[in-house]
Amino acid sequence: MSFDQFLQYISSGITSGSIYALTALGFTLIYNSTDIINFAQGEFVMLGGLVAISMHEWGAPLPLAFLVAVALVGIVGVIFEQLAIRPLLSAGVLAQIIVTIGASLAIRTVAMLIWGRESLPLPPFSGDSPIVILGASILPQTLWVLGLTLVIVVALQLFYRRTLTGKAVRACSVNPTAARLMGISYSRVVLLSFGLSAAISAAGGVMITPVSFMSYSAGALIGLKGFAACILGGLGNPVGAVAGGLILGILEALTVGFLPFSGSSGYKDGVAFLILLVILFARPQGLFGRRTVEKV
Amino acid sequence: MPIMRVEDVSKNFGGLDALKRVSFTLYEGQVKALIGPNGAGKTTLFNLISGVDRPTAGHIYFRDHDLGTLRRHEAAGLGIGRTFQHSKVFDDMTVLDNVKVGRYQRGRAGIFSSFFSLRRHRNEERQVRETAFEALKRVGLEAQAGELAGNLPMGDRHLLEIARSLATEPTVLLLDEPAAGLNNDETDRLADLVRQIRDNGVTILLVEHDMGFVMDISDEVVVLDYGKKIAEGPPLMIQNDEEVIRAYLGDDLA
Amino acid sequence: MGIVAYARKHAAFLAFSAVAMCAPLFIGNKYYLSILAFTATRLMVALGLNLLMGQAGQVSLGHAAFVAIGAYGSAVMTTRWSVNPWLAMLVAALLAAGVAAILGVPTLKLRGHYLAMATLGFGEIVFILLVQLKGLTLGTDGISGIPSLTIGSLDFGRPRAYHWLAWGVALLMLRMSLNLVDSRVGRSLRALDRAEIAALSLGVNTSFRKVQVFVVSAVFASVAGSFYVHYIHYISPDSFSVTFSVVLVTTVVLGGLGNVWGAVWGSIFMLFLPEYLKRFNQDYTNLVFGLMLIVVMIFLPGGLVGLRHVPARLRRRFTPPDALPAEDT
């Protein structure tokens, strides 16, 4: 593999890695405020992409399509929280998991009924003539994905560190009871987490669609990879989630590069799972684990 | 004769010292109480002694076994039983089934004899049932044997936890705030039960806030404050210890 | 135990067995016979999953993959390597057990539901492998010409014979599950789910028991897969997507967690419901399943089996509060 080929793989790895990072961030937001692992997270990504496609088809310019998709999926997240999560907030983990699985299947099927089974395209945000950097040609969409991901991550950090609402959310994740005593409404925080989480994941979905298309069934695998990224970076650690997503994306891309035989892109999807298992075996707190993984 | 030695035990949670070099010895046949203000580290110490957690430094010896080297479920096999401050009964199982779980470690039936209900399994089940019922009688819950544990009032839940622990035939029993939420009558009955258990040869270590109860039944008291042992001795001595009074009432009052 | 005492103790089981075994005598329609046969294999999977979820409180989102191990294991070994079907079934089940142990050991000692995610990933991988390993699985073409099960001159290819065989095995698994629930192991599983720290303090090796019941559930699923392919004689990857894993979870949840009979009613309902839904549009089936998971969890956590408690609960709701005994929470 030559150096510019290597760069090529890295850049495509960073592109998909950014999406895993945003999905992982979505998992983290919900996990930190409720301890729930949301098995429908990938469906938010999928919805984001498909809604943007429809908006674009109806003549909306891409930036508007992007914003509408993010807002709409954010609302879906809020409705999901109200209808399905709220009644089970204090129920056991089993019930919560089952409900998010049910939601995932329901959302996926509705998406199929609306958008059909085909993979649908979306044009890149600013043309597709590649930019040559260090001998490697890089698609402008890659820069868009990277840039927007960066903006989202920074904005989210500012929100958590600088605003009152953001601090309230953090307080709830550290100690819900104490936060409640301070007059912070836990249920509002949970609602906000679901809305934000869905919106962020949807943004990832819109960004990746020009690169890899979007279909109703794409959410499950992206969700799984987002979770693997979470575990890699340490579940509950937002910085780790982003780093984990990028690392996972790059590892996947390199797997395709180094495995010579045909069909290796099919096995690419196995990398995430393998990493998930290895990390759970060897280092369940993740590479940058902050929260200790309690063994009961 | 010493049965358990806590030696220089420290426990640290993410930079926070929950216990600092605590030492004391538990003697066979005694009732020892562990007291201290909230957050003094009592439950932390209980978790170490019952083997579900390990000390950051120091050792806890039960007879010759270092409890820090055990796996989490192994303390029960050595004869250490415990109850919990916040009810940990198995809510949707019957009271009798709760106590039957206490017989788990004395049983042998594995997955195959359970699946096929083999003869030796059925014999064992009969014994489990009888022993569990005996344990329920000792705490006076035999009438509620068929009820769901989740339906019991708070006081009875604690009795159920005691029965469940007794079913393991412990040599040391750890009781975490057994008198919490009990009225005077119930507390008196609990005191009788604790004495009766002690008289049957079980050594008892208990955490309790009800000072009347503690002073009434304990042979010795250990006082923790901010993770440190500040006093140890018979109840009368503890009641008049200046440092203990200060810990409980604050500096300005002492 | 005397026969009379045995019959009294296991009345429900004996009655159900009698109905299940006699059904083919009264059903001539081949189509309905085949649905009944599929119900038997579904029940085998559901019973294992019911033990895992209802007793130990763990979720597997990859049980389709364990069914696939049984189905493809039997298909590949019997058609390509001419292995005896019964031996192939055994080897596949051992393989499923081994894989389950590898997945379960790292995930089940952690708190929370790492098993659910690990099995979800595993399900995706197995699906990919079924498509990609063309040399072994023939890819999307699938494997055809899988032989029927035989014992000597007994041929279980005929619908009635197969029915009795498959239901015989399913009923055996039902009896085993019912026995397990009321045993030392079953109680320890419920205990570790309801209050793990208390179970540990009573000496229950919780990690071991969780892995063990997960392995058992994988073996049940694998055996079901083997029986399935020897009945339909053809297999392709389509049947083993992750969606099928979710359908399996739906079977168990809908029937009722925490009660072995839930697996029975869930299986019957789930095999006959799609037949009904077919009259509308098959695409809606998964939507109905997904919504059912949510609705059942929120409004009827006991599933179909829990319905029998509903009249009592309603009666209590309409009784003045002071007339109530200590209320359950």
Side-chain angles (χ1 to χ4, degrees):
Chain A
M1 188 189 292
S2 65
F3 183 67
D4 52 319
Q5 260 181 321
F6 177 74
L7 275 187
Q8 206 97 43
Y9 283 121
I10 295 282
S11 92
S12 94
I14 289 179
T15 313
S16 39
S18 299
I19 308 315
Y20 306 154
L22 291 178
T23 316
L25 215 46
F27 272 114
T28 309
L29 289 184
I30 290 177
Y31 178 77
N32 278 354
S33 64
T34 60
D35 272 353
I36 292 175
I37 301 290
N38 174 24
F39 282 78
Q41 198 67 35
E43 314 307 330
F44 294 148
V45 180
M46 174 271 290
L47 276 184
L50 290 178
V51 171
I53 289 171
S54 286
M55 290 306 295
H56 184 68
E57 271 177 6
W58 294 338
L62 279 173
L64 181 65
F66 181 91
L67 290 178
V68 170
V70 168
L72 214 63
V73 178
I75 293 171
V76 171
V78 166
I79 295 173
F80 169 51
E81 194 277 339
Q82 284 289 310
L83 292 183
I85 301 295
R86 182 57 48 92
L88 294 171
L89 260 186
S90 55
V93 198
L94 184 82
Q96 294 170 342
I97 288 188
I98 289 170
V99 158
T100 64
I101 292 167
S104 139
L105 185 61
I107 294 175
R108 197 182 315 156
T109 314
V110 168
M112 188 193 75
L113 294 169
I114 297 177
W115 285 283
R117 293 167 190 273
E118 301 300 314
S119 286
L120 303 173
L122 188 70
F125 292 3
S126 58
D128 45 12
S129 45
I131 306 163
V132 179
I133 300 174
L134 294 170
S137 49
I138 288 168
L139 290 173
Q141 188 68 20
T142 302
L143 300 177
W144 274 112
V145 171
L146 204 58
L148 284 175
T149 304
L150 209 68
V151 169
I152 291 172
V153 171
V154 170
L156 201 65
Q157 281 294 321
L158 287 178
F159 169 72
Y160 275 131
R161 311 247 159 217
R162 296 289 159 79
T163 68
L164 201 62
T165 323
K167 284 177 185 166
V169 176
R170 284 207 302 156
C172 278
S173 80
V174 176
N175 189 338
T177 325
R180 212 167 308 176
L181 290 175
M182 308 274 290
I184 296 170
S185 159
Y186 178 64
S187 57
R188 293 250 295 275
V189 166
V190 173
L191 193 67
L192 181 71
S193 302
F194 270 84
L196 263 184
S197 162
I200 289 173
S201 299
V206 184
M207 290 189 278
I208 197 67
T209 305
V211 180
S212 58
F213 299 0
M214 189 55 75
S215 79
Y216 81 99
S217 62
L221 210 53
I222 297 180
L224 177 69
K225 290 176 183 178
F227 182 77
C230 280
I231 299 296
L232 192 60
L235 190 58
N237 175 350
V239 182
V242 174
L246 291 174
I247 295 174
L248 179 61
I250 291 170
L251 283 178
E252 265 190 4
L254 291 179
T255 311
V256 180
F258 281 110
L259 286 182
F261 50 88
S262 68
S264 60
S265 62
Y267 293 113
K268 179 188 95 172
D269 294 329
V271 174
F273 170 68
L274 214 65
I275 289 178
L276 180 64
L277 267 197
V278 169
I279 290 280
L280 287 180
F281 248 120
R283 205 179 148 77
Q285 74 275 32
L287 294 179
F288 322 101
R290 205 177 44 185
R291 284 188 155 201
T292 47
V293 179
E294 292 169 76
K295 293 187 169 182
V296 187
Chain B
M1 220 176 64
I3 188 163
M4 185 182 283
R5 300 194 316 275
V6 176
E7 291 184 354
D8 274 337
V9 164
S10 300
K11 180 70 190 178
N12 184 295
F13 290 113
L16 206 79
D17 286 319
L19 289 173
K20 281 175 267 185
R21 304 189 59 124
V22 174
S23 300
F24 64 85
T25 303
L26 189 63
Y27 293 92
E28 215 170 318
Q30 75 174 165
V31 174
K32 194 156 191 156
L34 207 55
I35 65 169
N38 277 322
K42 298 165 307 220
T43 297
T44 304
L45 188 56
F46 254 45
N47 283 339
L48 301 181
I49 295 176
S50 61
V52 294
D53 209 346
R54 286 177 188 183
T56 315
H59 298 275
I60 301 171
Y61 293 101
F62 178 77
R63 299 214 164 102
D64 293 328
H65 302 274
D66 184 345
L67 295 183
T69 65
L70 295 183
R71 295 171 62 201
R72 290 176 301 157
H73 65 277
E74 286 173 342
L78 294 180
I80 300 175
R82 80 172 284 190
T83 66
F84 296 86
Q85 181 189 351
H86 303 290
S87 164
K88 293 276 192 292
V89 298
F90 310 123
D91 279 341
D92 62 350
M93 295 166 70
T94 65
V95 167
L96 185 63
D97 275 355
N98 263 266
V99 184
K100 280 182 178 176
V101 179
R103 294 302 297 166
Y104 178 86
Q105 51 146 348
R106 303 277 166 181
R108 308 251 330 268
I111 193 137
F112 282 103
S113 61
S114 296
F115 265 149
F116 298 106
S117 197
L118 303 179
R119 182 179 298 274
R120 65 184 147 97
H121 161 78
R122 292 204 298 273
N123 290 338
E124 186 179 302
E125 278 292 292
R126 197 173 317 120
Q127 281 171 0
V128 165
R129 196 189 150 76
E130 281 162 15
T131 329
F133 208 76
E134 283 306 310
L136 274 182
K137 270 192 192 153
R138 284 177 73 181
V139 304
L141 279 180
E142 69 273 22
Q144 283 95 319
E147 262 182 61
L148 286 187
N151 293 351
L152 292 183
M154 230 36 220
D156 284 350
R157 287 185 195 206
H158 219 104
L159 289 178
L160 173 56
E161 287 197 9
I162 293 175
R164 196 171 66 180
S165 259
L166 287 177
T168 68
E169 298 172 37
T171 40
V172 172
L173 185 57
L174 313 171
L175 303 174
D176 201 347
E177 299 198 22
L182 299 190
N183 63 31
N184 286 342
D185 276 1
E186 289 169 329
T187 308
D188 287 346
R189 257 179 286 149
L190 179 69
D192 288 341
L193 176 61
V194 170
R195 281 193 205 96
Q196 185 203 342
I197 293 171
R198 194 247 344 252
D199 293 344
N200 279 316
V202 179
T203 309
I204 290 169
L205 180 67
L206 59 91
V207 164
E208 189 48 67
H209 280 296
D210 184 332
M211 284 309 137
F213 178 75
V214 167
M215 300 306 163
D216 179 23
I217 64 166
S218 312
D219 301 312
E220 262 192 317
V221 179
V222 171
V223 190
L224 290 181
D225 190 29
Y226 290 111
K228 273 190 183 152
K229 184 174 90 172
I230 58 170
E232 180 176 8
L236 265 178
M237 195 181 105
I238 293 297
Q239 276 169 310
N240 298 312
D241 186 295
E242 271 184 30
E243 204 174 345
V244 174
I245 295 169
R246 217 174 7 248
Y248 268 91
L249 300 177
D251 286 319
D252 40 326
L253 281 167
Chain C
M1 202 177 336
I3 291 172
V4 177
Y6 183 89
R8 193 172 297 155
K9 193 174 167 200
H10 302 298
F13 173 75
L14 291 173
F16 178 72
S17 303
V19 172
M21 295 307 253
C22 294
L25 300 177
F26 304 102
I27 297 175
N29 184 323
K30 272 204 175 136
Y31 181 68
Y32 285 112
L33 262 184
S34 74
I35 293 182
L36 273 182
F38 293 139
T39 308
T41 43
R42 176 67 66 88
L43 177 56
M44 297 179 201
V45 190
L47 283 168
L49 208 49
N50 178 286
L51 291 180
L52 180 71
M53 293 173 65
Q55 302 293 313
Q58 290 288 330
V59 188
S60 163
L61 294 175
H63 255 52
F66 292 116
V67 181
I69 289 178
Y72 267 93
S74 284
V76 169
M77 282 187 265
T78 53
T79 58
R80 324 270 315 257
W81 307 331
S82 310
V83 177
N84 175 293
W86 297 104
L87 181 63
M89 188 185 289
L90 179 70
V91 172
L94 289 176
L95 182 65
V99 170
I102 291 173
L103 285 171
V105 166
T107 52
L108 285 171
K109 66 173 184 232
L110 302 174
R111 198 172 76 155
H113 278 65
Y114 291 90
L115 181 75
M117 265 301 171
T119 47
L120 180 65
F122 171 66
E124 294 278 6
I125 292 303
V126 167
F127 185 69
I128 291 169
L129 289 180
L130 293 181
V131 176
Q132 298 275 340
L133 293 177
K134 293 193 179 70
L136 201 64
T137 65
L138 303 184
T140 45
D141 293 343
I143 300 174
S144 49
I146 301 156
S148 299
L149 289 164
T150 51
I151 297 176
S153 59
L154 255 176
D155 179 6
F156 293 105
R158 270 167 291 175
R160 288 221 168 85
Y162 178 84
H163 178 103
W164 283 315
L165 177 68
W167 272 100
V169 173
L171 289 169
L172 173 69
M173 287 179 174
L174 174 61
R175 185 66 257 159
M176 285 162 67
S177 301
L178 289 167
N179 285 345
L180 186 77
V181 167
D182 194 19
S183 76
R184 172 173 178 264
V185 176
R187 285 188 296 268
S188 73
L189 289 174
R190 281 197 299 287
L192 69 85
D193 176 43
R194 279 38 162 194
E196 182 152 9
I197 193 170
L200 284 166
S201 81
L202 299 171
V204 179
N205 187 348
T206 57
S207 311
F208 171 73
R209 285 292 172 214
K210 279 189 262 187
V211 173
Q212 188 181 45
V213 72
F214 180 50
V215 167
V216 164
S217 76
V219 168
F220 278 23
S222 172
V223 170
S226 296
F227 272 97
Y228 179 77
V229 287
H230 287 300
Y231 181 67
I232 59 168
H233 309 300
Y234 167 77
I235 198 77
S236 76
D238 295 346
S239 327
F240 302 107
S241 68
V242 169
T243 304
F244 182 50
S245 288
V246 180
V247 169
L248 291 173
V249 169
T250 312
T251 308
V252 174
V253 169
L254 178 70
L257 292 169
N259 185 322
V260 172
W261 288 100
V264 175
W265 296 117
S267 301
I268 293 173
F269 196 86
M270 288 291 280
L271 266 297
F272 285 87
L273 176 72
E275 293 310 309
Y276 179 73
L277 287 176
K278 255 183 203 162
R279 286 177 222 174
F280 304 101
N281 180 343
Q282 214 172 349
D283 288 341
Y284 289 100
T285 320
N286 285 340
L287 179 59
V288 172
F289 289 167
L291 293 178
M292 253 171 9
L293 279 179
I294 300 176
V295 171
V296 169
M297 248 18 281
I298 295 176
F299 298 107
L300 193 68
L304 292 175
V305 186
L307 277 173
R308 68 204 153 100
H309 297 304
V310 168
R313 217 180 290 157
L314 283 179
R315 220 178 303 130
R316 247 186 295 167
R317 181 167 294 177
F318 295 114
T319 319
D322 50 351
L324 287 178
E327 182 57 278
D328 51 341
T329 43

